[in-house]
Amino acid sequence: MGQVEELREAVVSGEVEIAVEKMNEGLAAGVSPEVLLRDGVNAAMSEVGALYEAGEIFIPEMLVAARATTAALNVLKPHLVEQGVPSRGKVAIGTVKGDLHDIGKNLVAMFLEGSGFDVVDLGADVSPERFVAEAQGGAQVIAMSALLTTTMMNMRDVVAALENAQVRDRVRVIVGGAPLSDEYVMQIRADGYAPDASAAVGMLCELLQV
Amino acid sequence: MQLAVVHDDVLDRFDVDTIELGRAFALDDADWKEWTLPDGSPCEIPVWTSPERVHDGWVLRSKSGRIIGKMPDGGLYFEAVNWPFLEGTPDHEALEQAMAECMWSIPHPPGPLVEGPDGDRLLVEGARRLRESTDRAILGEFGGALMEWGDFLYRIDNFLAMLVEKPDRADDLIERLTDLFVAQLEKYLALVGQYIDVIVFYDDMCMQNGPMISPKMYRERFKPNHARMWKRAKDLADVKVLLHVCGSFRALLPDLIDAGVDAINPVQTNCKGMDAAGLKRDFGEQMTFWGGGCDTQSILPRATPEQVRDHVKQQVDTLRPGGGFVFQQVHNILADVPPENIVAMFDTARGL
């Protein structure tokens, strides 16, 4: 079994140290960073997503796989930059103003990054102005999360702020969180909703056609 | 610790059948102090809670002075911002000291009013007074959360990862928590067991689309410890065990029932696999649904009173036949709910 295959398996089973080790081995053996990303890390994320959707793994297993991904990517990133390997798109993600619940947002961020997106994590309690600044700074996707029916209303303010700053056309706006729905996406003129981290990756690939 | 105390005139207006044991306490003006809600409305909070203003919101401190909770501007609730076991390899021997540094340890009434040398006597007297004054069912708010205390102490992502990466550490914590709660339960029920009808446990383990952990992991790690508490409660007093668990719990339900649950709240019927008819059909003879009366994510805050009425009628018609149903809306009534929808909901439920 080659390093890429071993890397993929280590990520799927959430073995952080082995994933880092296999990534280093692959780089040392001269495997191209692009192959390590695509066939190692990204393929592992797809497999984890499929296992989750099939009900074979749950959040703890998904979390450790996402953490192994993050660790392996930290090793790989400088090499990707050096080789000029393009990302699938730049995503600015955060929980909306007033909402500190960030477990779901964090999982989505890790999944998107592991799936080849360039993720700027703005953290929790993010103001509309900060989302707008990211859109102005070149983010192609604004991703927002809220847990409560009270705070989800703040998503509308972010869309309005993007419109006022005349950057709404430049970005895709996606949302997630317990009370969210496709219907609400329509109401606030966002572009997409996904019920979990794995589905978010698929939805975003479709929206960006990548 | 953040829910409003519902006054007697409101309980009477809606003909409410239950009351919390905590309502027997903090009856003096001296137990309360003035505060202002985020929307500017005046309110009163227990004297033992002291929110402090910071530049971007409000914070709460533990007795030792550490900031443990925060309500950001634009938000309506305090959230935990301190996880005592976040870093290093914490000492599980120091469990109780660590719990005191978590926001969710800040108590609702009676809280500190029944601490100290006279505490037990005051607790019993309060419970007896409440029992003698009402024929409402009295709910003893006990707690006893295992997964959630893991989350509060370690932070949820770390605790969930620990369940996979260091299962022995996780088991050690879960067992120590259970030992602590069983000891508390024995003392609590010896004092108030004869005055309460229902003992309330909570443990949020689920999301909109299913449990956070596999049913297998639940069965191996949590169920034996939940059963130790829930079955012990019923051995000690003539009480029913009510468990609060949000989200889609259907995949765990056979095990929860087996572990001793009599009733579950809040029954989020809009979640995956949680449609009321299916739950009633498959589990209605084994347990009571305490909730599910009105959806709170799309209906109660957003629909018209007429739509609320139709929805409530449908939920009650589904969940009530044969008994085993206590009407309650799904989860707390948040600040975005129009008052006329609350009236429509309770009046419809009462009128059916």
Side-chain angles (χ1 to χ4, degrees):
Chain A
M1 193 160 55
Q3 291 98 352
V4 178
E5 181 66 9
E6 286 174 351
L7 168 64
R8 190 183 60 73
E9 288 202 352
V11 170
V12 171
S13 52
E15 307 274 2
V16 177
E17 283 161 22
I18 299 177
V20 169
E21 188 185 305
K22 296 298 163 193
M23 181 63 85
N24 278 318
E25 281 177 21
L27 289 165
V31 181
S32 90
E34 196 169 355
V35 168
L36 287 165
L37 177 68
R38 190 189 58 217
D39 300 341
V41 177
N42 296 356
M45 280 289 95
S46 301
E47 193 174 332
V48 170
L51 288 169
Y52 177 76
E53 282 175 22
E56 289 185 33
I57 62 169
F58 288 72
I59 300 295
E61 297 83 5
M62 201 159 154
L63 255 171
V64 294
R67 286 180 167 191
T69 300
T70 304
L73 275 177
N74 284 342
V75 176
L76 184 63
K77 266 184 199 163
H79 300 273
L80 292 172
V81 173
E82 194 183 295
Q83 303 257 314
V85 178
S87 83
R88 294 165 98 173
K90 187 177 175 188
V91 182
I93 189 168
T95 73
V96 292
K97 185 87 196 128
D99 204 318
L100 296 181
H101 303 92
D102 62 358
I103 171 77
K105 182 270 295 174
N106 293 343
L107 199 53
V108 171
M110 287 193 281
F111 250 69
L112 290 175
E113 191 163 44
S115 305
F117 291 91
D118 177 13
V119 177
V120 181
D121 190 344
L122 302 174
D125 187 24
V126 177
S127 67
E129 295 75 29
R130 285 189 65 202
F131 281 117
V132 168
E134 289 298 326
Q136 288 166 334
Q140 288 141 290
V141 179
I142 300 296
M144 296 183 275
S145 169
L147 178 72
L148 305 169
T149 54
T150 45
T151 48
M152 72 188 256
M153 307 313 278
N154 296 336
M155 291 179 172
R156 190 189 291 272
D157 299 341
V158 176
V159 175
L162 291 167
E163 286 169 351
N164 288 340
Q166 299 185 330
V167 289
R168 178 66 187 87
D169 296 343
R170 284 194 220 165
V171 291
R172 299 291 186 163
V173 177
I174 63 171
V175 299
L180 276 295
S181 63
D182 287 320
E183 194 190 350
Y184 190 67
V185 164
M186 305 265 284
Q187 280 176 27
I188 65 166
R189 298 187 301 277
D191 297 306
Y193 155 77
D196 60 58
S198 166
V201 173
M203 185 255 300
L204 199 50
C205 289
E206 212 165 281
L207 276 177
L208 296 178
Q209 297 181 322
V210 291
Chain B
M1 57 152 273
Q2 302 193 61
L3 299 181
V5 169
V6 182
H7 284 200
D8 286 337
D9 53 345
V10 178
L11 295 179
D12 290 342
R13 164 63 183 81
F14 294 117
D15 198 10
V16 173
D17 292 318
T18 60
I19 193 161
E20 322 91 84
L21 180 60
R23 291 294 309 281
F25 304 92
L27 302 173
D28 291 341
D29 286 347
D31 298 324
W32 299 86
K33 62 184 176 187
E34 290 182 0
W35 201 57
T36 306
L37 292 170
D39 72 347
S41 312
C43 73
E44 290 188 326
I45 59 176
V47 286
W48 59 84
T49 52
S50 295
E52 276 174 45
R53 181 70 204 169
V54 291
H55 73 282
D56 58 350
W58 293 85
V59 296
L60 292 168
R61 290 180 190 272
S62 66
K63 282 181 185 163
S64 75
R66 189 178 279 113
I67 291 178
I68 53 175
K70 180 168 183 189
M71 177 165 71
D73 287 338
L76 300 173
Y77 303 93
F78 285 89
E79 300 298 340
V81 293
N82 186 54
W83 304 273
F85 289 170
L86 184 63
E87 282 163 11
T89 307
D91 179 8
H92 287 175
E93 291 280 345
L95 185 58
E96 287 181 78
Q97 295 93 307
M99 290 169 85
E101 299 300 325
C102 294
M103 187 194 74
W104 296 103
S105 66
I106 298 174
H108 48 67
L113 300 176
V114 293
E115 285 170 7
D118 249 2
D120 291 355
R121 183 182 60 78
L122 293 169
L123 180 61
V124 171
E125 280 176 9
R128 187 189 300 125
R129 240 187 354 260
L130 186 64
R131 178 74 290 167
E132 286 166 356
S133 70
T134 183
D135 63 354
R136 292 188 164 112
I138 298 177
L139 276 63
E141 309 116 301
F142 181 73
L146 300 178
M147 184 186 284
E148 268 191 276
W149 269 106
D151 300 343
F152 299 159
L153 290 161
Y154 274 96
R155 202 175 67 192
I156 184 167
D157 53 335
N158 293 328
F159 184 63
L160 292 177
M162 184 193 285
L163 287 165
V164 176
E165 291 174 337
K166 295 176 187 163
D168 292 346
R169 286 278 294 164
D171 286 346
D172 180 66
L173 181 72
I174 294 165
E175 276 163 31
R176 283 173 191 271
L177 283 166
T178 309
D179 291 344
L180 176 67
F181 293 143
V182 167
Q184 290 175 353
L185 188 65
E186 287 171 349
K187 184 179 176 216
Y188 181 75
L189 285 176
L191 296 172
V192 303
Q194 62 178 307
Y195 304 115
I196 65 174
D197 301 288
V198 177
I199 183 160
V200 186
F201 290 85
Y202 65 92
D203 215 352
D204 276 324
M205 304 179 281
C206 298
M207 310 172 293
Q208 288 285 117
N209 47 13
M212 286 191 270
I213 61 171
S214 67
K216 180 170 177 287
M217 186 183 273
Y218 176 72
R219 222 168 281 140
E220 291 171 359
R221 294 268 146 66
F222 294 95
K223 181 181 173 181
N225 293 291
H226 276 152
R228 268 172 70 198
M229 291 188 287
W230 301 343
K231 291 190 170 162
R232 186 86 186 114
K234 290 197 278 194
D235 287 344
L236 290 168
D238 181 17
V239 290
K240 297 292 185 191
V241 168
L242 169 62
L243 174 69
H244 168 90
V245 51
C246 290
S248 172
F249 54 66
R250 190 187 163 110
L252 303 181
L253 197 44
D255 287 305
L256 296 173
I257 293 169
D258 194 37
V261 153
D262 295 307
I264 295 195
N265 159 272
V267 196
Q268 273 182 269
T269 53
N270 66 327
C271 290
K272 190 175 169 187
M274 292 283 290
D275 80 283
L279 285 175
K280 183 73 178 176
R281 182 192 62 225
D282 297 338
F283 299 99
E285 289 181 8
Q286 303 168 63
M287 58 164 292
T288 288
F289 296 102
W290 191 306
C294 182
D295 169 77
T296 49
Q297 285 181 332
S298 59
I299 306 285
L300 197 59
R302 311 268 187 262
T304 64
E306 194 53 43
Q307 289 168 325
V308 169
R309 275 189 278 274
D310 290 346
H311 173 70
V312 167
K313 182 171 186 322
Q314 191 184 351
Q315 296 296 95
V316 172
D317 285 348
T318 305
L319 288 166
R320 184 167 64 172
F325 174 51
V326 176
F327 180 89
Q328 190 183 22
Q329 78 287 346
V330 173
H331 225 283
N332 305 323
I333 299 173
L334 300 193
D336 55 352
V337 173
E340 52 270 31
N341 283 6
I342 301 174
V343 173
M345 174 177 75
F346 284 118
D347 283 354
T348 303
R350 235 341 152 206
L352 289 170

